[in-house]
Amino acid sequence: MAELEETVARLDLRLEPIAKRPIDLSDPAWQEKLRAAEPLDEAGIRAEAEEALRALLDRYEHGDDETRTAVRAMFDRYSSFCWAAHLPGADFRTRLLHLSARDHGRDTRDEILALNDLCTEARAAGVDIGPLLREVADLSSTVDKYGMGSMRDILLRCAG
């Protein structure tokens, strides 16, 4: 885990200036520009960041509670990496694992919206989301960080 954390810390430093760059809200196209941004490409670290994210999610999925807690802590500690790293084209389960590992991210409301969008997309594709939500909920934190329920609770509510 220590070597992986060193990698994530280094990637986070490369992403920080992009993640913390001011947004010109007076620009009428600011939202489109933000959506079109590819910070991993801008920083020139896409392959390495995706590899690190896959490794984190593998440890999260297959590790014990202590390992999952350590992965969640890394996403919390390295906020620029957490913000930018994603796996384009990942399946529903992998995206759920990523959401669970972020453990509320910076804003539970944003994570709930992301979860709702993810579930809507998966349902439209014919995925039986309930069992997968419950499976990932079993790996998720039970800590209610911001008064909106724990990540486990949020996933289970979505599972119905």
Side-chain angles (χ1 to χ4, degrees):
M1 270 303 255
E3 185 177 322
L4 181 55
E5 182 160 5
E6 286 176 22
T7 299
V8 170
R10 184 173 39 73
L11 296 170
D12 187 74
L13 284 173
R14 296 275 304 275
L15 289 163
E16 187 175 19
I18 299 165
K20 297 190 176 173
R21 180 171 45 213
I23 298 170
D24 180 5
L25 299 178
S26 67
D27 179 351
W30 74 268
Q31 290 177 325
E32 291 79 24
K33 289 178 182 176
L34 193 59
R35 274 190 220 97
E38 288 292 342
L40 298 179
D41 294 332
E42 186 177 333
I45 58 170
R46 175 170 295 285
E48 192 175 8
E50 288 177 358
E51 182 180 329
L53 180 55
R54 279 189 202 88
L56 282 170
L57 295 180
D58 182 66
R59 284 172 175 81
Y60 189 78
E61 178 180 12
H62 299 292
D64 57 16
D65 287 338
E66 184 177 316
T67 300
R68 283 190 290 280
T69 298
V71 170
R72 287 184 207 110
M74 270 197 256
F75 277 110
D76 190 48
R77 198 167 25 259
Y78 303 110
S79 61
S80 298
F81 178 85
C82 181
W83 166 77
H86 64 284
L87 299 172
D91 64 20
F92 178 70
R93 187 171 182 284
T94 301
R95 291 170 69 190
L96 282 179
L97 285 167
H98 188 191
L99 185 130
S100 173
R102 289 191 312 257
D103 194 27
H104 298 268
R106 291 289 173 228
D107 189 327
T108 304
R109 296 165 300 183
D110 288 341
E111 296 295 81
I112 290 171
L113 290 173
L115 176 60
N116 289 339
D117 289 347
L118 178 57
C119 290
T120 298
E121 182 183 315
R123 277 190 204 101
V127 175
D128 183 8
I129 66 170
L132 295 169
L133 285 160
R134 286 186 283 280
E135 179 185 336
V136 174
D138 286 343
L139 303 174
S140 300
S141 172
T142 59
V143 175
D144 181 355
K145 290 172 111 175
Y146 304 113
M148 300 177 84
S150 69
M151 190 52 63
R152 179 174 290 175
D153 295 337
I154 292 166
L155 291 169
L156 290 174
R157 278 195 306 262
C158 198

